[in-house]
């Protein structure tokens, strides 16, 4: 500050030491103030434009990306909404709102930065952190990390939602009921589909006619679901995006990194269980420079080729 005042004094050709300027005439003081405004204010503005102002943090995130529902305080939780683009590389693609929840470190900024908790699924949402961090002791000492979770695209309150709301009561008195008697959801199985559950279906895999019939019904269901008007999103210039093409683990990795940017984190750590191990692995692969620590609990094997995985899974089911 003293050297700055000396330079300012020299610029306006004051004679005498700086102390005389500080105690000088009213006119001199006005001149000094004018020079300070002329020299310092543009400097502050240029610093802001260069991005050298106070960085964003978990307590004070980038408002264009993240908004907390309530003012965050150290040691407490807060829910929030993260804004991301459907296509991370296309700023004109539709915006989506994803729900996040964070347990803030008692020390701010958190010494070890942010840590994502993902409990698996797919389907793990913001409740993962809340049900595991403190109850299971994963908040550690409560001071090292800002621990958070995210409801990924399409689930648990995030918009748009993949959830169907077409459930209904079937009519009474029918001798035979179809799937459409219970739901209008475009993504429900088509009428006549053989009974199908999580990891199998009630058909004879050696009967070609039964296999073809199942695949035809699955194709019909997939086409109807893909064309569902709810999944057709418009971009800034009217371009149509199909939401199904813009969901999945790798896009979740981009959304996680958007959260990192929103809270000004240089790096983040990930604790993942079950499918969460795939989330952690994919993020660390796509953003190695932004990854600090990764814990994989109950590792899910990678599936680089879906056809190879399907053949292997089918063979395993037959052996079982």
């Amino acid at each position: 500050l003293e050297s700055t005042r000396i330079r300012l004094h020299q610029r306006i050709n004051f004679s005498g030491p700086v102390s005389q300027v500080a105690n000088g005439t009213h006119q001199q003081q006005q001149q000094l103030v004018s020079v300070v405004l002329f020299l310092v204010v543009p400097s502050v503005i240029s610093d802001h434009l260069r991005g050298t102002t106070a960085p964003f943090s978990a307590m004070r995130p980038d408002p264009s990306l993240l908004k907390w529902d309530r003012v965050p305080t150290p040691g407490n939780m807060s829910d929030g909404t993260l804004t991301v683009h459907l296509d991370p590389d296309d700023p004109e693609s539709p915006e989506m709102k994803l729900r996040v929840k964070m347990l803030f470190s008692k020390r701010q900024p958190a010494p070890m930065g942010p840590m994502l908790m993902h409990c698996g699924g797919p389907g793990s949402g913001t409740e993962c952190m809340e049900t595991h961090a403190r109850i299971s002791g994963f908040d550690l000492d409560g001071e090292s990390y800002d621990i958070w979770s995210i409801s990924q695209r399409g689930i648990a309150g995030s918009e748009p939602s993949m959830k169907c709301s077409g459930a209904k009561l079937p009519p009474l008195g029918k001798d035979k009921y179809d799937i459409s008697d219970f739901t209008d959801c475009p993504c429900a199985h088509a009428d006549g589909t053989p009974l199908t559950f999580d990891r199998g279906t009630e058909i004879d895999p050696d009967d070609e006619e039964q296999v073809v019939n199942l695949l035809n019904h699955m194709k019909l269901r997939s086409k109807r679901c893909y064309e569902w008007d709810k999944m057709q999103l418009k971009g800034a210039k009217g371009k149509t995006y199909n939401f199904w093409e813009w969901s999945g683990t790798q896009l979740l990795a981009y959304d996680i990194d958007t959260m990192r940017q929103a809270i000004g984190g240089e790096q983040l750590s990930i604790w993942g269980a079950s499918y969460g191990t795939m989330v952690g692995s994919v993020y660390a692969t796509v953003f190695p420079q932004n990854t600090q620590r990764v814990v994989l609990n109950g590792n899910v094997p990678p599936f680089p080729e879906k056809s190879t995985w399907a053949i292997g899974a089918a063979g395993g089911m037959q052996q079982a």
Side-chain angles (χ1 to χ4, degrees):
L1 178 60
E2 183 69 12
S3 62
T4 301
R5 292 171 66 188
I6 291 174
R7 289 198 300 272
L8 292 174
H9 165 71
Q10 293 173 341
R11 282 177 179 268
I12 57 178
N13 296 320
F14 283 149
S15 60
V18 172
S19 60
Q20 292 180 358
V21 176
N23 299 317
T25 66
H26 180 68
Q27 181 180 5
Q28 288 176 322
Q29 290 175 344
Q30 285 185 322
Q31 289 176 311
L32 181 58
V33 170
S34 298
V35 174
V36 169
L37 291 174
F38 178 77
L39 296 177
V40 176
V41 171
S43 175
V44 172
I45 295 174
S46 63
D47 282 348
H48 175 74
L49 294 176
R50 288 196 300 268
T52 57
T53 55
F56 296 116
S57 66
M59 305 290 287
R60 193 184 66 85
D62 182 344
S64 69
L65 298 176
L66 175 63
K67 292 183 180 179
W68 295 120
D69 294 353
R70 61 179 181 177
V71 177
T73 55
N76 290 314
M77 293 185 188
S78 186
D79 295 277
T81 300
L82 178 70
T83 300
V84 301
H85 281 283
L86 191 69
D87 178 355
D89 295 323
D90 182 3
E92 295 180 351
S93 64
E95 288 186 348
M96 294 184 300
K97 305 296 182 181
L98 309 181
R99 296 297 288 169
V100 295
K101 183 190 289 285
M102 178 172 283
L103 172 59
F104 298 93
S105 169
K106 297 174 183 177
R107 294 175 57 191
Q108 291 295 329
M112 302 299 292
M115 179 173 71
L116 169 72
M117 296 191 71
H118 197 291
C119 295
S124 171
T126 59
E127 78 287 342
C128 172
M129 179 278 300
E130 187 171 11
T131 56
H132 282 71
R134 282 178 171 165
I135 295 175
S136 303
F138 286 115
D139 59 338
L140 306 175
D141 55 5
E143 297 185 354
S144 297
Y145 294 91
D146 288 319
I147 304 174
W148 67 285
S149 291
I150 184 171
S151 292
Q152 65 194 81
R153 298 182 178 203
I155 69 167
S158 294
E159 292 295 339
S161 172
M162 296 177 181
K163 183 178 180 180
C164 273
S165 57
K168 60 183 180 179
L169 293 174
L172 298 176
K174 293 184 67 172
D175 294 331
K176 180 182 178 182
Y177 288 91
D178 291 315
I179 296 173
S180 59
D181 290 321
F182 297 87
T183 179
D184 294 325
C185 178
C187 295
H189 288 301
D191 288 345
T193 302
L195 180 62
T196 302
F197 45 96
D198 185 27
R199 297 181 183 275
T201 182
E202 290 193 346
I203 66 169
D204 180 357
D206 292 325
D207 187 319
E208 182 177 350
E209 184 177 347
Q210 291 186 36
V211 172
V212 171
N213 178 61
L214 171 64
L215 294 178
N216 284 335
H217 279 86
M218 298 297 286
K219 180 179 179 180
L220 176 61
R221 177 239 186 164
S222 297
K223 181 177 184 298
R224 188 175 60 187
C225 187
Y226 182 83
E227 295 174 350
W228 188 12
D229 56 359
K230 182 180 179 179
M231 297 293 106
Q232 315 307 314
L233 307 179
K234 292 290 186 181
K237 294 187 176 180
K239 178 182 176 181
T240 299
Y241 300 76
N242 191 297
F243 181 62
W244 296 116
E245 296 179 356
W246 299 98
S247 58
T249 308
Q250 182 152 336
L251 286 160
L252 173 57
Y254 280 90
D255 296 339
I256 291 170
D257 201 63
T258 299
M259 179 68 173
R260 178 196 62 80
Q261 297 173 48
I263 60 177
E266 292 186 7
Q267 292 183 317
L268 61 79
S269 298
I270 298 178
W271 177 92
S274 189
Y275 165 68
T277 64
M278 186 178 295
V279 174
S281 299
V282 170
Y283 181 85
T285 300
V286 178
F287 300 102
Q289 72 280 8
N290 300 337
T291 305
Q292 187 179 37
R293 292 173 172 83
V294 178
V295 176
L296 306 179
N297 185 355
N299 193 37
V300 173
F303 304 137
E305 296 181 358
K306 291 184 178 180
S307 59
T308 302
W309 172 82
I311 293 171
M317 290 297 295
Q318 285 183 316
Q319 291 179 12

